[in-house]
């Protein structure tokens, strides 16, 4: 049996190999002349990160590690952002960003934690008689975790939620005459869970620090202002980062924050320049898009539960799913990690989340024009140009566009922001080794 250290080394090699496999597939499918690809890659290598537009207001929004989950939700909501860097309040004044920042927190991490906590608490609620008899909260939490098949760090996080369920079951919940079976308990819990998570203990005092590592999707890898845009593009495409923080050399504070969406919007602003127009006019097939085959597209049925949609996103580490109907998989909508924040912001949705279908979820959150724009499916045809795809992604501020075929609008592929960025570049030999030594690959394996 492999030793722990050997297992970690195997895991790291597999992770890097998956990045390499994705990028090699892209490069092999491109029909662009090699000379053109080299010119583009060389050009991006000469553009400094400092030339990229700054964040609105000129200041990156940060969240302290000891901030409560409820405060984090409020900060993200008030500033209309989906993620923020997390600062370490215990770090001494230092020029080393590694001491100042612990990582990134986003809505997806928070809401996945909330959903899991609700499930654990629901099981704990069904153990009313045990809690009334004085069974410890930790024991009830463990029972809840085991009953749901939750293991690892996530289970440890969930114990706090289960403890709350146990406390409620032995107190206020009993006064309301809640049912003793888990499904009934969960339904009743849902009606007040929004209040619990944002206002009552211990959720009110559960910190961002406590859920940061268990629900982290990507490593925290800043680049310097004098780094090249090529490095940023590689991190956002080949290495799957959703955002790249920017720091001043020798300074610990984040100066800028470059996202996949922001970069594609930046490419859209290059319209009118010869090099961009030349590439934008080519059909997506010249780039091998979509990179996945139709049978590799992960989708969700409109009559499936919305909870299953979010679990699919979590399990496959993807940001969204096309919603399909019928044997032809006609696209009727789209749900994304961006949308699940409405489970927190709309208590009437959260109260019934365990029974809510994807169709009903979409119908409910499209009651306002702004939210309606979020879930409308953005599509293109197999004969569309790359320029049209970039325009759709940038103008609609979405993270993916679905490729459809035939009169039925069958989903045959998905093009993500990551895929689009990958079309413009390749990775020169030893690029990151020359730039940051082995540090980048070490952080990518975290």
């Amino acid at each position: 049996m492999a030793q722990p250290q050997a297992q970690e080394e195997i895991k790291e090699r597999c992770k890097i190999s998956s990045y390499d496999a994705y990028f090699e597939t892209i490069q092999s499918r491109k029909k662009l002349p090699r000379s053109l690809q080299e010119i583009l890659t060389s050009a991006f290598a000469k553009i400094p990160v400092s030339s990229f537009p700054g964040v609105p207001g000129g200041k990156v929004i940060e969240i302290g590690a000891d901030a409560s989950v409820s405060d984090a939700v409020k900060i993200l909501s008030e500033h209309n952002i989906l993620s923020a860097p997390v600062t370490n309040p215990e770090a001494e004044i230092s020029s080393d960003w590694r001491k100042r920042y612990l990582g990134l927190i986003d809505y997806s991490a928070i809401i996945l934690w909330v959903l899991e906590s609700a499930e654990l608490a629901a099981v704990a609620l069904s153990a009313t008689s045990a809690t009334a008899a004085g069974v410890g909260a930790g024991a009830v939490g463990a029972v809840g975790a085991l009953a749901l098949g939750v293991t690892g760090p996530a289970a440890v996080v969930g114990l706090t939620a289960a403890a709350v369920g146990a406390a409620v079951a032995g107190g206020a919940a009993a006064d309301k005459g809640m049912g003793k079976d888990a499904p009934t308990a969960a339904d009743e819990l849902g009606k007040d869970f929004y209040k619990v998570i944002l206002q009552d203990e211990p959720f009110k005092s559960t910190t961002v620090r406590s859920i940061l590592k268990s629900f982290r999707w990507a490593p925290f890898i800043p680049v310097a202002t004098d780094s090249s845009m090529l490095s940023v593009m590689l991190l956002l495409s080949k290495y799957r980062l959703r955002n790249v923080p920017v720091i001043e050399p020798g300074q610990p504070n984040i100066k800028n924050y470059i996202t996949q969406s922001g970069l594609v919007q930046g490419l859209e602003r290059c319209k009118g320049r010869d090099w961009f127009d030349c590439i934008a006019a080519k059909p997506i097939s010249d780039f091998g898009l979509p990179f996945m085959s139709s049978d590799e597209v992960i989708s969700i049925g409109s009559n499936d539960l919305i909870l299953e949609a979010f679990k699919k996103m979590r399990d496959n580490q993807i940001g969204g799913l096309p919603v399909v109907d019928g044997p032809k998989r006609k696209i009727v909508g789209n749900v994304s990690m961006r949308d699940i924040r409405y489970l927190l912001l709309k208590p009437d949705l959260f109260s019934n989340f365990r029974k809510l279908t994807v169709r009903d979820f979409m119908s409910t959150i499209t009651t306002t024009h702004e939210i309606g724009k979020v879930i409308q499916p953005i599509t293109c045809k197999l004969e569309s140009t790359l320029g049209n795809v970039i325009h759709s992604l940038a103008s609609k501020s979405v993270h993916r566009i679905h490729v459809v075929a035939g009169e039925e609008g069958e989903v045959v592929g998905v093009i993500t922001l990551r895929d689009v960025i990958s079309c413009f570049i390749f990775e020169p030999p030893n690029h990151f080794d020359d730039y940051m030594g082995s540090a980048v690959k070490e952080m990518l394996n975290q």
Side-chain angles (χ1 to χ4, degrees):
M1 185 174 180
Q3 295 300 313
Q5 184 175 354
Q7 290 176 334
E8 282 301 313
E9 289 176 356
I10 293 172
K11 184 179 178 181
E12 288 178 9
R13 286 198 299 270
C14 290
K15 201 167 186 179
I16 292 297
S17 295
S18 69
Y19 299 141
D20 291 337
Y22 163 80
F23 221 57
E24 286 170 6
T25 299
I26 291 175
Q27 304 309 317
S28 67
R29 292 185 180 181
K30 282 183 189 178
K31 297 178 183 177
L32 297 180
R34 181 69 179 184
S35 59
L36 178 57
Q37 294 187 54
E38 290 176 346
I39 290 172
L40 283 174
T41 298
S42 177
F44 286 117
K46 294 174 183 176
I47 300 174
V49 170
S50 57
S51 66
F52 196 84
V55 295
K59 183 179 180 181
V60 174
I61 303 302
E62 300 177 346
I63 296 177
D66 291 337
S68 68
V69 170
S70 61
D71 285 341
V73 170
K74 291 174 184 175
I75 292 171
L76 293 172
S77 300
E78 288 171 359
H79 292 90
N80 195 29
I81 55 178
L82 296 177
S83 62
V86 177
T87 57
N88 181 8
E90 299 167 1
E92 299 178 358
I93 298 176
S94 168
S95 61
D96 188 353
W97 58 265
R98 292 175 181 82
K99 295 180 179 179
R100 176 169 169 76
Y101 296 99
L102 298 179
L104 298 168
I105 190 70
D106 59 25
Y107 262 117
S108 61
I110 293 173
I111 299 177
L112 286 174
W113 170 73
V114 170
L115 292 177
E116 183 170 285
S117 299
E119 291 287 301
L120 290 167
V123 173
L125 275 173
S126 67
T128 308
S129 58
T131 56
V135 176
V140 174
V143 170
L146 291 173
L148 289 163
V150 181
T151 58
V156 176
V157 175
L159 295 184
T160 302
V164 171
V168 174
D175 296 336
K176 295 180 181 179
M178 285 188 179
K180 302 302 186 292
D181 63 298
T184 302
D187 294 341
E188 294 298 325
L189 176 66
K191 294 178 181 178
D192 295 316
F193 200 78
Y194 177 80
K195 262 195 311 191
V196 172
I197 190 67
L198 294 184
Q199 299 177 22
D200 295 338
E201 298 293 352
F203 294 105
K204 187 176 180 180
S205 57
T206 297
T207 65
V208 170
R209 184 197 302 267
S210 66
I211 68 172
L212 184 62
K213 290 185 178 180
S214 298
F215 291 87
R216 182 175 62 186
W217 279 34
F220 183 77
I221 305 179
V223 298
T225 51
D226 57 359
S227 300
S228 72
M229 283 304 300
L230 175 60
S231 295
V232 173
M233 294 175 78
L234 285 168
L235 289 172
L236 293 175
S237 58
K238 176 177 179 178
Y239 295 104
R240 295 193 69 173
L241 268 63
R242 295 178 180 179
N243 35 58
V244 176
V246 179
I247 57 174
E248 289 272 16
Q251 298 294 323
N253 298 325
I254 293 177
K255 181 179 178 64
N256 203 356
Y257 200 62
I258 303 177
T259 65
Q260 289 179 334
S261 183
L263 184 53
V264 170
Q265 289 172 5
L267 289 171
E268 165 75 353
R269 289 192 289 270
C270 293
K271 186 176 181 179
R273 298 184 182 182
D274 291 344
W275 66 267
F276 178 83
D277 290 348
C278 173
I279 291 182
K282 296 181 181 296
I284 58 175
S285 58
D286 277 11
F287 303 89
L289 292 171
F291 294 135
M292 64 178 67
S293 61
S294 58
D295 59 357
E296 291 176 312
V297 176
I298 301 172
S299 60
I300 191 77
S302 61
N303 292 321
D304 291 336
L305 296 177
I306 191 64
L307 190 58
E308 287 305 311
F310 298 144
K311 285 180 178 178
K312 272 193 175 184
M313 288 183 244
R314 177 194 63 190
D315 294 343
N316 292 281
Q317 291 196 327
I318 53 179
L321 298 171
V323 180
V324 298
D325 261 349
K328 290 289 188 179
R329 298 201 308 170
K330 178 181 180 180
I331 187 167
V332 295
N334 173 73
V335 291
S336 70
M337 276 297 179
R338 187 189 301 196
D339 297 328
I340 67 176
R341 67 189 188 276
Y342 297 114
L343 285 178
L344 275 189
L345 303 180
K346 293 178 75 70
D348 53 323
L349 283 179
F350 194 89
S351 67
N352 196 36
F353 81 93
R354 297 179 82 247
K355 294 181 179 179
L356 195 66
T357 66
V358 174
R359 185 190 302 277
D360 289 341
F361 175 80
M362 291 193 300
S363 175
T364 302
I365 69 173
T366 52
T367 53
T368 69
H369 178 64
E370 178 183 359
I371 300 175
K373 290 197 303 181
V374 174
I375 68 160
Q376 292 300 315
I378 308 299
T379 63
C380 71
K381 299 286 188 178
L382 287 167
E383 60 269 21
S384 297
T385 65
L386 182 63
N388 287 337
V389 168
I390 290 175
H391 176 71
S392 294
L393 291 168
S395 62
K396 303 293 184 182
S397 295
V398 292
H399 290 189
R400 65 199 51 79
I401 185 169
H402 299 95
V403 185
V404 297
E407 294 181 1
E408 292 293 325
E410 178 185 359
V411 179
V412 295
V414 179
I415 300 175
T416 65
L417 295 171
R418 178 193 187 196
D419 298 335
V420 168
I421 297 169
S422 300
C423 289
F424 286 85
I425 55 172
F426 65 86
E427 183 173 16
N430 305 313
H431 176 77
F432 281 115
D433 288 340
D434 295 340
Y435 167 56
M436 288 181 71
S438 60
V440 168
K441 288 189 177 179
E442 288 177 3
M443 289 186 285
L444 285 168
N445 283 317
Q446 292 178 359

